[in-house]
């Protein structure tokens, strides 16, 4: 969130920035299956449900453009990003999952959603295959996600991601259309 909150970016991209934290004993996404073949449970976790409720409450209480709601998450939050965009792809204008993983069987839901996926090629915490599998599944379903993999980078792929000013330029240029 540091890059989002710099004075220059606050001026360039005026927005409401919400950075929820997951309780330490819970998860953003209800992962089942195996590490190499994960899938999401039918219902979101309580923290993920609370994020969706928070978005809705903020939209009702603040002058938020519903056509420009973005979802970004890293590591466990990357998994949560994949989970929430699969559950409600029409709610978001774009998403950036960083070093996370998703359920490739849900890829068809994401073919129209602008996605830019990031992962470190040397990540030993969340294998880059998790992002690669999602990107490939979305492409096979007809989508065009962007994918950046950093050679030699481990789990901390977020530093490189959010240090690149093109990332925020891309994110804030996305807007849902009436057809979505």
């Amino acid at each position: 969130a540091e890059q989002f909150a710099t004075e220059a970016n606050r001026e360039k991209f005026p927005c409401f920035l919400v950075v929820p934290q997951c309780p330490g004993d819970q998860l953003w996404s209800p992962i089942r299956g195996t590490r190499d073949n994960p899938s999401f449970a039918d219902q979101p976790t309580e923290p993920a449900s609370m994020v969706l409720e928070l978005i809705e409450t903020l939209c009702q209480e603040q002058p938020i453009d519903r056509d420009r709601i973005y979802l970004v998450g890293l590591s466990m939050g990357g998994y949560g990003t994949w989970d929430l965009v699969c559950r409600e792809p029409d709610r978001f204008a774009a998403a950036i999952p960083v070093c996370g993983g998703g359920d490739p069987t849900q890829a068809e839901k994401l073919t129209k959603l602008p996605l830019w996926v990031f992962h470190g090629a040397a990540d030993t915490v969340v294998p880059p295959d998790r992002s690669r599998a999602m990107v490939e599944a979305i492409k096979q379903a007809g989508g065009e996600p962007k994918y950046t993999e950093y050679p030699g980078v481990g789990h901390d792929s977020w530093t490189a991601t959010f240090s690149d000013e093109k990332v925020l330029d891309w994110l804030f240029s996305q807007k849902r259309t009436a057809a979505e």
Side-chain angles (χ1 to χ4, degrees):
E2 292 171 9
Q3 290 302 89
F4 286 87
T6 66
E7 187 173 334
N9 281 335
R10 287 190 348 251
E11 203 169 295
K12 187 175 182 181
F13 307 114
C15 67
F16 289 87
L17 176 63
V18 180
V19 187
Q21 300 298 300
C22 190
D25 62 342
Q26 297 184 48
L27 297 171
W28 285 123
S29 59
I31 302 166
R32 60 182 180 196
T34 65
R35 181 178 175 142
D36 293 330
N37 191 21
S39 63
F40 293 132
D42 295 335
Q43 298 299 315
T45 63
E46 182 179 359
S49 293
M50 291 173 71
V51 166
L52 294 173
E53 290 172 22
L54 177 60
I55 292 169
E56 187 56 37
T57 298
L58 290 172
C59 285
Q60 291 173 10
E61 296 177 357
Q62 301 295 328
I64 293 173
D65 182 348
R66 287 180 183 266
D67 291 329
R68 300 189 73 198
I69 296 174
Y70 312 116
L71 190 60
V72 176
L74 54 99
S75 193
M76 179 179 42
Y79 276 90
T81 298
W82 283 117
D83 182 55
L84 289 181
V85 297
C86 286
R87 290 180 194 284
E88 298 197 20
D90 295 333
R91 180 185 295 260
F92 302 101
I96 298 177
V98 181
C99 62
D103 180 351
T105 66
Q106 303 292 314
E108 192 170 308
K109 298 176 183 178
L110 303 177
T111 59
K112 304 236 184 289
L113 180 67
L115 291 160
W116 195 349
V117 182
F118 295 88
H119 218 115
D123 191 336
T124 59
V125 177
V126 177
D129 286 346
R130 300 288 47 87
S131 287
R132 293 175 193 149
M134 287 301 297
V135 168
E136 184 58 32
I138 294 166
K139 286 180 178 180
Q140 290 296 317
E144 297 179 7
K146 293 171 62 89
Y147 181 56
T148 300
E149 187 169 294
Y150 301 109
V153 173
H155 193 52
D156 178 12
S157 52
W158 53 87
T159 297
T161 298
F162 297 114
S163 295
D164 182 349
E165 68 182 48
K166 290 186 216 93
V167 174
L168 293 186
D169 286 340
W170 175 85
L171 182 66
F172 284 98
S173 73
Q174 305 305 314
K175 186 173 181 177
R176 286 189 320 172
T177 63
E180 295 177 331

